[in-house]
Every structure is written in structure tokens, then in C-alpha cells.
Amino acid sequence: MNKEKQVKRLTFESSLIQHGLQLEETRSVVDEKLIFVKVHATWDVLCTYAEIMHLKLPLKPNDLKESDSAFNWLTKYFSVSEEIIKPEQEFFTAAFEKDRINEFYTEDKDVFFNPSTRSRIVSLDPDRKS
């Protein structure tokens, strides 16, 4: 790698670290010269960017009963059996705010932000200007 590219890479990586992201280097099994860099976001970084992005996150489980309607009657013939695909729990959602974190459904911090949300947050961070 030439010197100019190396400086750009170090600058980029230090910018990521300054924004609170963690970097993990892993060497390729196939080629020793190839190094993969995994970017991890801490809980605080995830919360900060969720607030900036106005992400809607779960408040509490939805406890409302589904009302019977003609549409529900029609769709039940086209839906997949619950034995095959288990229904996901539905939640009431609201735009995330760090100062109201105790109101959100954060029983398990590892799954509070799903993988796609984590990816969006990490990919947004390098684009932000200090």
C-alpha cells in the first residue's frame, strides 16, 4: 500500500474511533495480506445515533386485540400457519430519546437494535462531519 493511501486509511480509522466506534482486525484465512476490519458500535453510540436519526423503537408490547373485519376474514385463507412461522411480538413504537430510555422496551440490549438498524447507524457515522 502506498504512503498516501495508508495516511487516508489511518485518518479514516481514527475518525471512526473518535466517533466512539470500535474496530476489530481479522486476517483472512486464505490470504495473509488480506485484513478485514469489523466496525462495532457501543451501546452509547447506538443510542446517540438512534436519537439523531429519530428511529422508532419499541416502547411496550402491543396488548390490543385485533378486531374482526371482512378483510381479516379474507386474509386468514392466505396466511401461513403459525406452526410453520411463529408470529413476532408486536410493539408500540416511538421516536427514540436517550433521556427517556427507561420508557423503552430494553429488556435485552443485544437485540434492542436489530442488525439492520445497527448497520444503518454504523454506515451513517463515517458520513457525518465533526
Side-chain angles (χ1 to χ4, degrees):
M1 185 186 293
N2 70 26
K3 194 71 168 169
E4 185 180 330
K5 287 183 180 179
Q6 201 169 14
V7 169
K8 282 184 181 181
R9 182 181 183 92
L10 288 174
T11 304
F12 177 71
E13 287 181 353
S14 66
S15 173
L16 292 177
I17 292 168
Q18 286 174 352
H19 282 94
L21 298 174
Q22 298 172 344
L23 305 179
E24 175 187 349
E25 293 185 352
T26 307
R27 289 206 178 273
S28 171
V29 180
V30 179
D31 184 4
E32 282 278 323
K33 296 178 187 174
L34 185 61
I35 299 173
F36 296 100
V37 178
K38 299 177 187 177
V39 182
H40 302 282
T42 61
W43 174 254
D44 190 48
V45 170
L46 291 171
C47 290
T48 300
Y49 281 98
E51 188 170 27
I52 290 169
M53 297 168 68
H54 302 288
L55 295 178
K56 293 198 182 250
L57 293 168
L59 282 173
K60 62 179 184 175
N62 182 352
D63 58 353
L64 297 177
K65 300 268 188 225
E66 207 174 285
S67 62
D68 290 331
S69 70
F71 184 71
N72 288 348
W73 177 83
L74 180 65
T75 58
K76 74 178 180 181
Y77 293 105
F78 298 105
S79 59
V80 179
S81 168
E82 290 184 4
E83 294 173 4
I84 297 171
I85 298 177
K86 302 281 186 238
E88 291 185 9
Q89 188 174 16
E90 294 183 8
F91 291 90
F92 294 111
T93 61
F96 185 76
E97 295 178 24
K98 281 174 78 171
D99 58 339
R100 294 177 42 200
I101 195 164
N102 57 344
E103 295 176 23
F104 286 87
Y105 192 75
T106 56
E107 285 187 357
D108 187 0
K109 289 183 178 183
D110 292 334
V111 296
F112 182 67
F113 294 102
N114 62 31
S116 64
T117 303
R118 290 171 183 267
S119 179
R120 283 179 55 203
I121 290 171
V122 169
S123 67
L124 170 83
D125 193 59
D127 298 334
R128 293 198 75 66
K129 303 293 180 213
S130 300

